[in-house]
Coordinates of all heavy atoms in Angstrom, one line a residue:
M1 N 8.8 0.9 25.3 CA 9.3 1.3 24.0 C 8.3 0.9 22.9 O 7.8 -0.2 22.8 CB 10.6 0.5 23.7 CG 11.3 0.9 22.4 SD 13.0 0.3 22.3 CE 12.7 -1.1 21.3
K2 N 8.0 1.9 22.1 CA 7.0 1.7 21.0 C 7.7 1.1 19.8 O 8.8 1.6 19.4 CB 6.3 3.0 20.7 CG 5.2 2.8 19.6 CD 4.5 4.0 19.4 CE 3.4 3.8 18.3 NZ 2.5 4.8 18.1
I3 N 7.2 0.1 19.2 CA 7.7 -0.5 18.0 C 7.3 0.3 16.8 O 6.1 0.6 16.7 CB 7.3 -2.0 17.8 CG1 7.8 -2.8 19.0 CG2 7.8 -2.5 16.5 CD1 7.3 -4.2 19.0
K4 N 8.2 0.6 15.9 CA 7.8 1.4 14.7 C 7.7 0.4 13.6 O 8.7 -0.1 13.0 CB 8.9 2.4 14.4 CG 8.5 3.2 13.2 CD 9.6 4.3 12.9 CE 9.3 5.0 11.6 NZ 10.3 5.9 11.2
P5 N 6.4 0.0 13.2 CA 6.2 -1.0 12.2 C 6.5 -0.6 10.8 O 6.6 -1.4 9.9 CB 4.7 -1.3 12.3 CG 4.1 -0.1 12.8 CD 5.2 0.6 13.7
W6 N 6.7 0.7 10.5 CA 6.8 1.2 9.2 C 8.3 1.2 8.8 O 9.0 2.2 9.0 CB 6.2 2.6 9.0 CG 4.7 2.4 9.2 CD1 4.0 2.9 10.3 CD2 3.7 1.7 8.5 NE1 2.7 2.5 10.3 CE2 2.5 1.8 9.1 CE3 3.8 1.0 7.3 CZ2 1.3 1.2 8.6 CZ3 2.6 0.5 6.8 CH2 1.4 0.6 7.4
D7 N 8.8 0.1 8.3 CA 10.2 0.1 7.9 C 10.3 0.4 6.4 O 11.4 0.2 5.8 CB 10.8 -1.3 8.2 CG 10.0 -2.5 7.7 OD1 9.0 -2.2 7.0 OD2 10.4 -3.6 7.8
Y8 N 9.3 0.8 5.8 CA 9.3 1.3 4.4 C 9.3 2.8 4.4 O 8.8 3.5 5.3 CB 8.0 0.8 3.7 CG 7.9 -0.7 3.7 CD1 7.2 -1.4 4.6 CD2 8.6 -1.4 2.7 CE1 7.1 -2.8 4.6 CE2 8.5 -2.8 2.7 CZ 7.8 -3.5 3.6 OH 7.7 -4.8 3.6
Q9 N 9.9 3.3 3.4 CA 9.9 4.8 3.2 C 8.6 5.2 2.5 O 8.6 5.3 1.3 CB 11.1 5.2 2.4 CG 12.5 4.9 3.0 CD 12.7 5.6 4.3 OE1 12.3 6.8 4.4 NE2 13.3 5.0 5.3
I10 N 7.7 5.6 3.3 CA 6.4 6.1 2.7 C 6.2 7.5 3.3 O 6.6 7.8 4.4 CB 5.2 5.2 3.1 CG1 5.0 5.0 4.6 CG2 5.4 3.8 2.4 CD1 3.8 4.2 4.9
K11 N 5.4 8.3 2.5 CA 5.2 9.6 3.0 C 4.2 9.6 4.1 O 3.4 8.7 4.3 CB 4.5 10.4 1.8 CG 5.5 10.6 0.6 CD 4.8 11.3 -0.5 CE 5.7 11.5 -1.7 NZ 5.1 12.1 -2.8
R12 N 4.3 10.6 5.0 CA 3.4 10.7 6.2 C 1.9 10.8 5.8 O 1.1 10.2 6.5 CB 3.7 12.0 7.0 CG 4.9 11.8 7.9 CD 4.9 13.0 8.8 NE 5.9 12.8 9.9 CZ 5.6 12.2 11.0 NH1 4.4 11.8 11.2 NH2 6.6 12.1 11.9
N13 N 1.6 11.4 4.7 CA 0.2 11.6 4.3 C -0.3 10.5 3.3 O -1.3 10.6 2.7 CB 0.0 13.0 3.7 CG 0.8 13.2 2.5 OD1 1.7 12.4 2.1 ND2 0.5 14.3 1.8
W14 N 0.5 9.4 3.2 CA 0.2 8.3 2.3 C -1.1 7.6 2.7 O -1.3 7.4 3.9 CB 1.3 7.3 2.2 CG 1.0 6.2 1.3 CD1 1.2 6.2 -0.1 CD2 0.5 4.9 1.6 NE1 0.8 5.0 -0.6 CE2 0.4 4.2 0.4 CE3 0.1 4.3 2.8 CZ2 -0.1 2.9 0.4 CZ3 -0.4 3.0 2.8 CH2 -0.5 2.3 1.6
K15 N -2.0 7.3 1.8 CA -3.2 6.6 2.1 C -3.3 5.5 1.1 O -3.1 5.7 -0.1 CB -4.4 7.5 2.1 CG -4.4 8.5 3.2 CD -4.6 7.9 4.5 CE -4.7 8.9 5.6 NZ -4.5 8.4 6.9
P16 N -3.8 4.3 1.4 CA -4.0 3.2 0.5 C -5.1 3.6 -0.5 O -6.1 4.3 -0.2 CB -4.4 2.1 1.3 CG -4.4 2.5 2.7 CD -4.1 3.9 2.8
R17 N -4.9 3.2 -1.8 CA -5.8 3.5 -2.8 C -6.4 2.2 -3.4 O -7.6 2.1 -3.8 CB -5.2 4.4 -3.9 CG -4.9 5.8 -3.5 CD -4.4 6.6 -4.6 NE -4.1 8.0 -4.6 CZ -3.8 8.8 -3.6 NH1 -3.8 8.4 -2.5 NH2 -3.4 10.0 -3.7
T18 N -5.6 1.2 -3.6 CA -6.0 0.0 -4.3 C -6.3 -1.1 -3.2 O -6.0 -0.9 -2.1 CB -4.9 -0.6 -5.2 OG1 -3.8 -1.0 -4.4 CG2 -4.5 0.5 -6.2
R19 N -7.0 -2.1 -3.7 CA -7.4 -3.2 -2.8 C -6.1 -3.8 -2.2 O -6.0 -4.1 -1.0 CB -8.2 -4.2 -3.6 CG -8.7 -5.4 -2.8 CD -9.6 -6.3 -3.7 NE -10.0 -7.5 -3.0 CZ -11.0 -7.6 -2.2 NH1 -11.7 -6.5 -1.9 NH2 -11.3 -8.7 -1.6
T20 N -5.1 -4.0 -3.0 CA -3.8 -4.6 -2.5 C -3.2 -3.7 -1.4 O -2.7 -4.2 -0.4 CB -2.8 -4.8 -3.7 OG1 -3.5 -5.7 -4.6 CG2 -1.6 -5.5 -3.2
E21 N -3.2 -2.4 -1.7 CA -2.6 -1.5 -0.7 C -3.4 -1.5 0.6 O -2.8 -1.5 1.6 CB -2.6 -0.1 -1.3 CG -1.5 0.1 -2.4 CD -1.6 1.5 -3.0 OE1 -2.5 2.3 -2.7 OE2 -0.7 1.8 -3.8
W22 N -4.7 -1.6 0.5 CA -5.5 -1.7 1.7 C -5.2 -2.9 2.6 O -5.0 -2.9 3.8 CB -7.0 -1.6 1.4 CG -7.5 -0.2 1.4 CD1 -7.8 0.5 0.3 CD2 -7.6 0.7 2.5 NE1 -8.2 1.7 0.6 CE2 -8.1 1.9 1.9 CE3 -7.4 0.6 3.8 CZ2 -8.3 3.0 2.8 CZ3 -7.7 1.7 4.6 CH2 -8.1 2.9 4.1
F23 N -5.1 -4.1 1.9 CA -4.7 -5.3 2.6 C -3.3 -5.1 3.3 O -3.2 -5.5 4.5 CB -4.7 -6.5 1.7 CG -6.0 -7.1 1.4 CD1 -6.6 -7.1 0.1 CD2 -6.8 -7.7 2.5 CE1 -7.8 -7.7 -0.1 CE2 -8.0 -8.2 2.2 CZ -8.5 -8.2 0.9
W24 N -2.4 -4.7 2.5 CA -1.0 -4.5 3.1 C -1.1 -3.5 4.3 O -0.5 -3.8 5.4 CB -0.1 -3.9 2.0 CG 1.3 -3.6 2.5 CD1 2.3 -4.4 2.8 CD2 1.8 -2.3 2.9 NE1 3.4 -3.8 3.3 CE2 3.1 -2.4 3.4 CE3 1.2 -1.0 2.9 CZ2 3.8 -1.4 3.8 CZ3 2.0 0.0 3.4 CH2 3.3 -0.1 3.8
Y25 N -1.7 -2.4 4.1 CA -1.8 -1.4 5.2 C -2.5 -1.9 6.5 O -2.0 -1.8 7.6 CB -2.6 -0.2 4.6 CG -2.9 0.9 5.6 CD1 -1.8 1.8 6.0 CD2 -4.1 1.2 6.1 CE1 -2.1 2.9 6.8 CE2 -4.4 2.2 7.0 CZ -3.3 3.1 7.3 OH -3.6 4.1 8.2
L26 N -3.6 -2.5 6.3 CA -4.4 -3.0 7.5 C -3.6 -4.2 8.1 O -3.6 -4.2 9.4 CB -5.8 -3.5 7.0 CG -6.7 -2.4 6.6 CD1 -8.0 -3.0 6.0 CD2 -7.1 -1.5 7.8
E27 N -3.0 -5.1 7.4 CA -2.3 -6.2 8.0 C -1.1 -5.6 8.8 O -0.8 -6.1 9.9 CB -1.8 -7.1 6.9 CG -2.9 -8.0 6.3 CD -2.5 -8.7 5.0 OE1 -1.3 -8.6 4.6 OE2 -3.4 -9.4 4.5
R28 N -0.4 -4.7 8.2 CA 0.8 -4.1 8.9 C 0.3 -3.4 10.2 O 0.9 -3.6 11.3 CB 1.4 -3.0 8.1 CG 2.4 -3.4 7.0 CD 3.5 -4.1 7.5 NE 4.7 -3.2 7.9 CZ 5.8 -3.7 8.2 NH1 6.1 -5.0 8.1 NH2 6.8 -2.9 8.5
K29 N -0.7 -2.6 10.2 CA -1.2 -1.9 11.3 C -1.7 -2.8 12.4 O -1.3 -2.7 13.6 CB -2.3 -0.9 10.9 CG -2.0 0.2 9.9 CD -1.4 1.4 10.6 CE -2.5 2.3 11.2 NZ -1.9 3.5 11.8
I30 N -2.5 -3.8 12.0 CA -3.1 -4.7 13.0 C -2.0 -5.6 13.6 O -1.9 -5.8 14.8 CB -4.2 -5.5 12.4 CG1 -5.4 -4.6 12.1 CG2 -4.7 -6.6 13.3 CD1 -6.5 -5.2 11.2
N31 N -1.2 -6.2 12.8 CA -0.2 -7.2 13.3 C 0.9 -6.5 14.2 O 1.4 -7.2 15.0 CB 0.5 -7.9 12.1 CG -0.4 -9.0 11.6 OD1 -1.1 -9.7 12.3 ND2 -0.3 -9.3 10.3
Y32 N 1.1 -5.2 14.0 CA 2.1 -4.5 14.9 C 1.4 -3.7 15.9 O 2.0 -2.8 16.5 CB 3.0 -3.7 14.0 CG 4.0 -4.5 13.3 CD1 3.8 -5.0 12.0 CD2 5.2 -4.9 13.9 CE1 4.7 -5.8 11.3 CE2 6.1 -5.7 13.2 CZ 5.9 -6.1 11.9 OH 6.8 -6.9 11.3
D33 N 0.1 -3.9 16.2 CA -0.6 -3.2 17.2 C -0.6 -1.7 17.1 O -0.6 -1.0 18.1 CB -0.1 -3.6 18.6 CG -0.4 -5.0 19.0 OD1 -1.5 -5.5 18.6 OD2 0.4 -5.7 19.6
D34 N -0.7 -1.3 15.9 CA -0.8 0.2 15.6 C -2.2 0.5 15.2 O -2.5 0.5 14.0 CB 0.2 0.5 14.5 CG 0.3 2.0 14.2 OD1 -0.4 2.8 14.9 OD2 0.9 2.4 13.2
W35 N -3.1 0.7 16.2 CA -4.5 0.8 15.9 C -4.9 2.3 15.6 O -6.0 2.5 15.3 CB -5.3 0.3 17.1 CG -5.0 -1.1 17.4 CD1 -4.1 -1.7 18.2 CD2 -5.7 -2.3 16.8 NE1 -4.1 -3.0 18.2 CE2 -5.1 -3.4 17.3 CE3 -6.7 -2.4 15.8 CZ2 -5.5 -4.7 16.9 CZ3 -7.1 -3.7 15.5 CH2 -6.5 -4.8 16.0
Q36 N -3.9 3.2 15.8 CA -4.2 4.6 15.6 C -4.6 4.8 14.1 O -4.0 4.3 13.2 CB -3.0 5.4 15.9 CG -3.2 6.9 15.8 CD -2.0 7.7 16.3 OE1 -1.0 7.1 16.8 NE2 -2.0 8.9 16.1
D37 N -5.7 5.6 14.0 CA -6.2 6.0 12.6 C -6.9 4.9 11.9 O -7.3 5.1 10.7 CB -5.1 6.6 11.7 CG -4.4 7.9 12.3 OD1 -5.2 8.6 13.0 OD2 -3.2 8.0 12.1
L38 N -7.1 3.7 12.5 CA -7.8 2.7 11.8 C -9.3 2.9 11.9 O -9.8 3.3 13.0 CB -7.5 1.3 12.3 CG -6.1 0.8 12.0 CD1 -5.9 -0.6 12.6 CD2 -5.9 0.7 10.5
K39 N -10.0 2.7 10.9 CA -11.5 2.9 10.8 C -12.1 1.5 10.8 O -11.7 0.6 10.1 CB -11.9 3.6 9.6 CG -11.3 5.0 9.5 CD -11.7 6.0 10.5 CE -11.2 7.3 10.3 NZ -10.7 8.0 11.5
I40 N -13.1 1.3 11.7 CA -13.8 0.0 11.8 C -14.4 -0.4 10.5 O -14.3 -1.6 10.1 CB -14.8 0.1 12.9 CG1 -14.2 0.3 14.2 CG2 -15.7 -1.2 12.9 CD1 -15.1 0.6 15.4
A41 N -14.9 0.5 9.7 CA -15.6 0.2 8.5 C -14.6 -0.4 7.5 O -14.9 -1.4 6.7 CB -16.2 1.4 7.9
M42 N -13.3 0.1 7.5 CA -12.3 -0.4 6.5 C -11.8 -1.8 7.0 O -11.6 -2.7 6.1 CB -11.2 0.6 6.4 CG -11.5 1.9 5.7 SD -12.5 1.7 4.2 CE -11.4 1.0 3.1
I43 N -11.7 -2.0 8.3 CA -11.3 -3.3 8.7 C -12.4 -4.4 8.4 O -12.1 -5.4 7.8 CB -11.1 -3.3 10.3 CG1 -9.9 -2.4 10.6 CG2 -10.8 -4.8 10.8 CD1 -9.7 -2.2 12.1
K44 N -13.6 -4.0 8.6 CA -14.7 -4.9 8.2 C -14.8 -5.2 6.7 O -15.0 -6.3 6.3 CB -16.1 -4.4 8.7 CG -16.2 -4.5 10.2 CD -17.5 -3.9 10.7 CE -18.6 -4.9 10.4 NZ -19.9 -4.4 11.0
K45 N -14.5 -4.2 5.9 CA -14.6 -4.3 4.5 C -13.6 -5.4 4.0 O -13.9 -6.2 3.1 CB -14.4 -3.0 3.8 CG -14.4 -3.0 2.3 CD -14.3 -1.7 1.7 CE -14.3 -1.7 0.2 NZ -14.2 -0.4 -0.4
Y46 N -12.4 -5.4 4.5 CA -11.3 -6.3 4.0 C -11.1 -7.4 5.0 O -10.1 -8.2 4.8 CB -10.1 -5.4 3.9 CG -10.2 -4.4 2.8 CD1 -10.4 -3.1 3.1 CD2 -10.2 -4.8 1.4 CE1 -10.5 -2.1 2.0 CE2 -10.3 -3.9 0.4 CZ -10.5 -2.5 0.7 OH -10.6 -1.6 -0.3
F47 N -11.8 -7.6 6.0 CA -11.6 -8.5 7.1 C -11.3 -10.0 6.6 O -10.4 -10.6 7.0 CB -12.7 -8.5 8.1 CG -12.4 -9.3 9.3 CD1 -11.5 -9.0 10.3 CD2 -13.1 -10.5 9.5 CE1 -11.2 -9.7 11.4 CE2 -12.8 -11.3 10.6 CZ -11.9 -10.9 11.6
R48 N -12.2 -10.4 5.8 CA -12.1 -11.9 5.3 C -10.8 -12.2 4.7 O -10.3 -13.3 4.8 CB -13.2 -12.2 4.4 CG -14.6 -12.2 5.1 CD -15.6 -12.7 4.1 NE -17.0 -12.5 4.6 CZ -17.6 -13.5 5.2 NH1 -17.1 -14.7 5.3 NH2 -18.8 -13.3 5.7
G49 N -10.2 -11.3 4.0 CA -8.9 -11.6 3.3 C -7.7 -11.2 4.0 O -6.6 -11.4 3.5
L50 N -7.8 -10.6 5.2 CA -6.6 -10.2 6.0 C -5.8 -11.4 6.5 O -6.4 -12.3 7.0 CB -7.0 -9.3 7.1 CG -7.5 -7.9 6.8 CD1 -8.0 -7.2 8.1 CD2 -6.5 -7.1 6.1
K51 N -4.5 -11.3 6.4 CA -3.6 -12.3 6.9 C -3.0 -11.7 8.2 O -2.0 -11.1 8.2 CB -2.5 -12.6 5.9 CG -3.1 -13.3 4.7 CD -2.0 -13.5 3.7 CE -2.6 -14.1 2.4 NZ -1.7 -14.0 1.3
I52 N -3.8 -11.9 9.3 CA -3.3 -11.3 10.6 C -3.2 -12.5 11.6 O -3.7 -13.6 11.4 CB -4.3 -10.2 11.0 CG1 -5.7 -10.8 11.2 CG2 -4.3 -9.0 10.1 CD1 -6.7 -9.8 11.8
D53 N -2.6 -12.1 12.7 CA -2.4 -13.0 13.8 C -3.8 -13.7 14.2 O -4.8 -12.9 14.3 CB -1.9 -12.2 15.0 CG -1.7 -13.1 16.2 OD1 -0.7 -13.8 16.3 OD2 -2.7 -13.1 17.1
P54 N -3.9 -15.0 14.3 CA -5.1 -15.7 14.6 C -5.8 -15.1 15.9 O -7.0 -15.0 16.0 CB -4.8 -17.1 14.8 CG -3.5 -17.3 14.1 CD -2.8 -16.0 14.2
G55 N -5.0 -14.8 16.9 CA -5.6 -14.2 18.1 C -6.3 -12.9 17.9 O -7.3 -12.6 18.4
K56 N -5.7 -12.0 17.1 CA -6.2 -10.7 16.8 C -7.5 -10.9 15.9 O -8.4 -10.1 16.0 CB -5.2 -9.9 16.1 CG -4.1 -9.5 17.1 CD -3.0 -8.6 16.4 CE -2.0 -8.4 17.5 NZ -0.8 -7.8 17.0
K57 N -7.4 -11.9 15.0 CA -8.6 -12.1 14.2 C -9.8 -12.5 15.1 O -10.9 -12.0 14.9 CB -8.3 -13.2 13.2 CG -9.4 -13.3 12.1 CD -8.9 -14.1 10.9 CE -9.1 -13.3 9.7 NZ -8.6 -13.8 8.5
L58 N -9.6 -13.4 16.1 CA -10.6 -13.8 17.0 C -11.1 -12.6 17.8 O -12.3 -12.4 18.1 CB -10.2 -14.9 17.9 CG -10.0 -16.3 17.3 CD1 -9.3 -17.2 18.3 CD2 -11.3 -16.8 16.9
M59 N -10.2 -11.7 18.3 CA -10.6 -10.5 19.0 C -11.4 -9.6 18.2 O -12.5 -9.1 18.7 CB -9.3 -9.8 19.4 CG -9.6 -8.5 20.2 SD -8.2 -7.4 20.3 CE -7.9 -6.9 18.6
L60 N -11.1 -9.4 16.9 CA -11.9 -8.6 16.1 C -13.2 -9.2 15.8 O -14.2 -8.5 15.7 CB -11.1 -8.3 14.8 CG -10.0 -7.3 14.9 CD1 -9.1 -7.3 13.6 CD2 -10.5 -5.9 15.2
M61 N -13.3 -10.5 15.6 CA -14.6 -11.1 15.4 C -15.5 -10.9 16.6 O -16.7 -10.7 16.4 CB -14.4 -12.6 15.1 CG -13.8 -12.9 13.7 SD -13.2 -14.6 13.4 CE -14.7 -15.5 13.8
A62 N -15.0 -11.1 17.8 CA -15.8 -10.9 19.0 C -16.2 -9.4 19.1 O -17.4 -9.2 19.5 CB -15.0 -11.3 20.2
F63 N -15.3 -8.5 18.8 CA -15.7 -7.1 18.8 C -16.8 -6.8 17.8 O -17.8 -6.1 18.2 CB -14.4 -6.2 18.4 CG -14.7 -4.8 18.4 CD1 -14.7 -4.0 19.6 CD2 -15.0 -4.1 17.2 CE1 -15.0 -2.7 19.5 CE2 -15.3 -2.8 17.1 CZ -15.3 -2.0 18.3
F64 N -16.7 -7.3 16.6 CA -17.8 -7.0 15.6 C -19.1 -7.7 16.0 O -20.1 -7.1 15.8 CB -17.3 -7.6 14.2 CG -16.2 -6.8 13.6 CD1 -15.3 -7.5 12.8 CD2 -15.9 -5.5 13.9 CE1 -14.2 -6.9 12.2 CE2 -14.8 -4.8 13.3 CZ -14.0 -5.5 12.5
K65 N -19.0 -8.8 16.6 CA -20.2 -9.5 17.1 C -20.9 -8.7 18.1 O -22.1 -8.6 18.1 CB -19.9 -10.9 17.6 CG -21.1 -11.7 17.9 CD -20.7 -13.1 18.3 CE -21.9 -13.9 18.7 NZ -21.6 -15.3 19.1
K66 N -20.1 -8.2 19.1 CA -20.8 -7.4 20.2 C -21.2 -6.0 19.8 O -22.2 -5.5 20.2 CB -19.8 -7.3 21.3 CG -20.4 -6.6 22.5 CD -19.5 -6.8 23.8 CE -20.2 -6.2 25.0 NZ -19.6 -6.5 26.2
Y67 N -20.3 -5.3 19.0 CA -20.6 -3.9 18.7 C -20.9 -3.6 17.2 O -21.1 -2.5 16.9 CB -19.4 -3.1 19.1 CG -19.0 -3.1 20.5 CD1 -18.0 -3.9 21.0 CD2 -19.8 -2.5 21.5 CE1 -17.6 -4.0 22.3 CE2 -19.5 -2.5 22.8 CZ -18.4 -3.3 23.2 OH -18.1 -3.4 24.6
G68 N -21.0 -4.6 16.4 CA -21.1 -4.4 15.0 C -22.4 -3.8 14.5 O -22.5 -3.2 13.5
K69 N -23.5 -3.9 15.3 CA -24.8 -3.4 14.9 C -25.1 -2.0 15.4 O -26.0 -1.4 15.0 CB -25.9 -4.4 15.2 CG -25.7 -5.7 14.6 CD -26.9 -6.5 14.6 CE -26.8 -7.9 14.1 NZ -26.0 -8.3 13.1
K70 N -24.3 -1.6 16.4 CA -24.5 -0.3 17.0 C -23.8 0.8 16.1 O -22.8 0.6 15.5 CB -23.8 -0.2 18.4 CG -24.5 -1.0 19.4 CD -23.9 -0.7 20.7 CE -24.5 -1.5 21.8 NZ -23.9 -1.3 23.1
D71 N -24.5 1.9 16.0 CA -23.9 3.1 15.4 C -23.4 2.9 14.0 O -22.5 3.5 13.5 CB -22.7 3.7 16.2 CG -23.2 4.1 17.6 OD1 -24.3 4.5 17.8 OD2 -22.5 3.8 18.6
G72 N -24.0 1.9 13.3 CA -23.6 1.7 11.9 C -22.2 1.1 11.7 O -21.6 1.2 10.6
L73 N -21.7 0.4 12.7 CA -20.3 -0.2 12.6 C -20.4 -1.4 11.8 O -21.2 -2.3 11.8 CB -19.8 -0.5 14.0 CG -19.6 0.6 14.9 CD1 -19.1 0.2 16.2 CD2 -18.6 1.7 14.3

């Protein structure tokens, strides 16, 4: 069963515009394992300020360390 993390009434085509909205959006997506449509560049841009699960933060740090220099990631 897939968990639906979006318990807020937002439009399907909604995209974050402000810094606060980006933090909220990325934290929701990452913490609820909804990786679909996430861009590596946006995660990296806001990574330091994200309040996410410590295990996921370590996983992302390892991913960036291994693949961060390839293909402009």
